[in-house]
């Protein structure tokens, strides 16, 4: 166990924001986590669990203990005729976990290829892309309660997954450390190519026989062409959620703005493309200092080098205000603010 003092978090967050953590410790097992918490509880009052740092915006120094999750390991814990139950340590890199599943021909997570971050954070906001969310493949997770110092198992219902939401993002925020996640994957591939862009990319790739590997590669190609590589330009992917509104509100907006982009959600709601709303307000490609709105996708806020977290946050405030003024819609941040 090693607790270091006054550590820059710049290498630990995809936005590349340079803030200082008062204390910083990595843990590789539940025992080590317990040991750190026992020791640090004597003098620390705030903890922050960090995975890959790809969904967090630091706006100030962190006056507490950052716990960097490094619990590794991937194992099949059960199987039946159709499914395999595969458990990943929370500190495993998500994309590497996806590649492991593809290599073993376990299907279900290929549409989620190339999402940055770690296994442990995948249930935090119910990560999703190209027609699949974690809740579709989730079996259970184990989480360590920071105060009670006990492990608890959460099943699908107990996680209360929603669109980029779970109990861990709201109700139990900062109370639990997720230490492992078990997914239920298909042994015989079940393909999900419902997303138009995947179909088009597969055609472009000249794929004749569909495989999970081909879907993964299609997703990688699409993502690489649209999103900035966070290792080159700091970002946390979509900064805002796509707002959900009532169908009748959508029809009213469509009457005024015929080009508005929305996708039906069930019978009564429509999910609006937040990127379109932001673009219409003139933010796409905007830059002030090193804080900006990405030129290829307005939903992504970026740090071109030395932006401060507050500058990115202020930009997000300005965007929220202008979208509200123009369309009457309040955008919500997807990224965690610390
Ligand atoms: C270029 C880019 C593209 C992206 N595309 C997508 C996308 O398509 N879909 C999508 O859903 N997301 C996307 N994201 C967001 C991000 O990749 C995911 O949210 C990812 O799951 C974050 O993982 P992380 O390990 O980096 O989490 P972190 O950023 O380290 O943490 C995120 C939050 O979870 C908490 N946390 C992390 N690990 C644990 C744990 N083990 N226990 C308890 N709390 C924990 C942290 O305290 C923090 O509040 C993208 C990000 C980038 C940079």
């Amino acid at each position: 166990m090693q607790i270091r003092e006054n550590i820059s978090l710049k290498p630990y967050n995809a936005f590349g924001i340079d803030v200082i953590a008062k204390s910083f410790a990595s843990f590789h097992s539940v025992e080590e986590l317990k040991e750190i918490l026992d020791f640090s509880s004597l003098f620390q009052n705030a903890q922050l669990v960090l995975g890959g740092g790809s969904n967090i915006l630091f706006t100030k120094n962190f006056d507490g203990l950052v716990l960097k999750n490094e619990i590794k390991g991937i194992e099949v814990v059960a199987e039946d005729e159709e499914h395999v139950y595969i458990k990943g340590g929370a500190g495993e890199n998500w994309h590497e976990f996806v590649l492991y599943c593809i290599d073993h021909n376990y299907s279900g997570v290929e549409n989620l290829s190339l999402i940055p971050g770690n296994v442990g954070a995948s249930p935090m906001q119910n990560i999703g892309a190209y027609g699949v969310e974690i809740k579709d493949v989730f079996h259970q997770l184990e989480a360590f309660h920071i105060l009670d110092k006990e492990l608890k198992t959460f099943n699908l219902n107990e996680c209360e997954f929603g669109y980029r939401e779970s109990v861990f993002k709201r109700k139990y925020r900062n109370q639990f450390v997720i230490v492992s996640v078990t997914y239920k994957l298909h042994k015989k591939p079940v393909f999900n190519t419902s997303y138009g862009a995947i179909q088009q990319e597969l055609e472009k790739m000249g794929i004749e026989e569909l495989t999970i590997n081909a879907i993964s590669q299609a997703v990688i190609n699409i993502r690489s062409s649209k999103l900035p590589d966070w290792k080159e330009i700091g970002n946390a992917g979509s900064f805002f959620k796509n707002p959900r509104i009532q169908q009748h509100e959508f029809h009213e907006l469509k009457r005024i703005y015929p080009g508005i982009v929305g996708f039906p959600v069930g019978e009564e709601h429509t999910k609006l493309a937040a990127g379109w709303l932001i673009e219409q307000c003139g933010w796409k490609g905007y830059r002030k200092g090193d804080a900006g709105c990405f030129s290829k996708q307005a939903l992504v806020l970026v740090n071109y080098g030395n932006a401060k977290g507050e500058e990115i946050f202020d930009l997000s405030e300005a965007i929220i205000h202008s979208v509200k003024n123009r369309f009457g819609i309040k955008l919500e941040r997807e990224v965690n603010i610390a």
Side-chain angles (χ1 to χ4, degrees):
M1 175 190 79
Q2 194 194 6
I3 300 181
R4 295 184 288 151
E5 301 298 315
N6 299 321
I7 296 298
S8 166
L9 294 180
K10 193 173 165 81
Y12 301 105
N13 71 98
F15 257 122
I17 303 292
D18 195 6
V19 289
I20 304 292
K22 189 175 162 209
S23 312
F24 184 100
S26 301
F27 59 95
H28 303 78
S29 64
V30 175
E31 292 69 37
E32 197 176 8
L33 170 64
K34 230 172 144 235
E35 212 182 311
I36 293 167
L37 287 172
D38 283 344
F39 180 76
S40 67
S41 61
L42 303 174
F43 55 92
Q44 300 281 359
N45 43 23
Q47 289 98 2
L48 176 86
V49 189
L50 204 53
S54 53
N55 199 20
I56 193 158
L57 176 68
F58 288 107
T59 56
K60 51 182 180 302
N61 290 338
F62 186 70
D63 188 27
L65 172 65
V66 169
L67 293 159
K68 177 89 175 82
N69 198 326
E70 298 283 1
I71 297 179
K72 304 283 186 205
I74 300 177
E75 61 171 324
V76 170
V77 286
E79 56 189 299
D80 55 35
E81 224 164 88
E82 285 175 32
H83 297 108
V84 60
Y85 296 79
I86 183 161
K87 179 172 167 176
E92 286 286 347
N93 174 272
W94 172 257
H95 182 59
E96 279 164 26
F97 175 79
V98 170
L99 294 181
Y100 179 96
C101 295
I102 292 169
D103 274 355
H104 289 77
N105 214 22
Y106 303 146
S107 116
V109 285
E110 55 281 1
N111 294 46
L112 303 175
S113 296
L114 213 62
I115 296 183
N118 292 354
V119 162
S122 65
M124 270 297 292
Q125 69 154 9
N126 181 25
I127 56 168
Y130 300 99
V132 174
E133 290 180 323
I134 277 301
K135 71 167 173 46
D136 304 327
V137 291
F138 180 88
H139 177 59
Q140 64 178 37
L141 64 77
E142 284 176 302
F144 187 79
H145 194 277
I146 292 178
L147 285 183
D148 296 349
K149 309 251 169 70
E150 269 174 11
L151 268 184
K152 178 170 164 34
T153 303
F154 288 79
N155 65 25
L156 182 64
N157 286 337
E158 288 166 323
C159 290
E160 296 175 22
F161 289 125
Y163 166 56
R164 300 298 174 270
E165 285 295 343
S166 74
V167 275
F168 303 102
K169 199 166 171 181
R170 303 267 165 223
K171 192 157 85 184
Y172 295 149
R173 188 172 187 82
N174 295 332
Q175 293 182 34
F176 284 94
V177 181
I178 297 167
V179 295
S180 74
V181 186
T182 305
Y183 307 90
K184 182 181 173 183
L185 302 182
H186 298 282
K187 284 179 167 176
K188 280 199 204 102
V190 176
F191 304 120
N192 183 338
T193 55
S194 57
Y195 230 80
I198 296 190
Q199 286 283 6
Q200 285 161 20
E201 185 59 30
L202 288 167
E203 275 168 35
K204 206 165 114 192
M205 288 160 64
I207 297 296
E208 282 170 10
E209 198 187 328
L210 199 54
T211 60
I212 53 173
N213 198 22
I215 293 181
S216 169
Q217 197 50 57
V219 169
I220 290 172
N221 293 350
I222 302 166
R223 294 184 71 96
S224 310
S225 69
K226 278 190 4 193
L227 291 168
D229 180 350
W230 63 269
K231 288 175 195 137
E232 281 160 25
I233 305 176
N235 76 91
S238 305
F239 198 91
F240 303 98
K241 294 182 182 179
N242 289 317
R244 214 165 99 133
I245 58 170
Q246 299 272 343
Q247 284 282 15
H248 68 87
E249 293 173 305
F250 179 64
H251 293 314
E252 181 57 20
L253 281 169
K254 186 100 184 154
R255 202 177 52 74
I256 310 168
Y257 307 101
I260 196 164
V261 182
F263 312 92
V265 183
E267 306 253 297
E268 287 172 18
H269 294 96
T270 294
K271 202 186 269 180
L272 293 177
W276 188 90
L277 301 172
I278 298 168
E279 194 177 335
Q280 296 306 303
C281 294
W283 291 105
K284 195 173 177 182
Y286 171 90
R287 176 170 178 172
K288 186 178 175 194
D290 274 349
C293 186
F294 191 52
S295 54
K296 288 195 204 164
Q297 169 54 273
L299 202 48
V300 179
L301 301 191
V302 290
N303 172 12
Y304 286 105
N306 293 312
K308 292 202 174 346
E310 301 103 290
E311 292 174 303
I312 308 256
F313 183 82
D314 290 348
L315 174 58
S316 74
E317 281 285 289
I319 290 173
I320 290 171
H321 280 126
S322 71
V323 168
K324 176 85 179 136
N325 285 342
R326 174 107 184 250
F327 298 102
I329 291 183
K330 174 119 194 323
L331 290 182
E332 225 183 287
R333 291 181 188 86
E334 179 181 314
V335 170
N336 299 279
I337 309 294

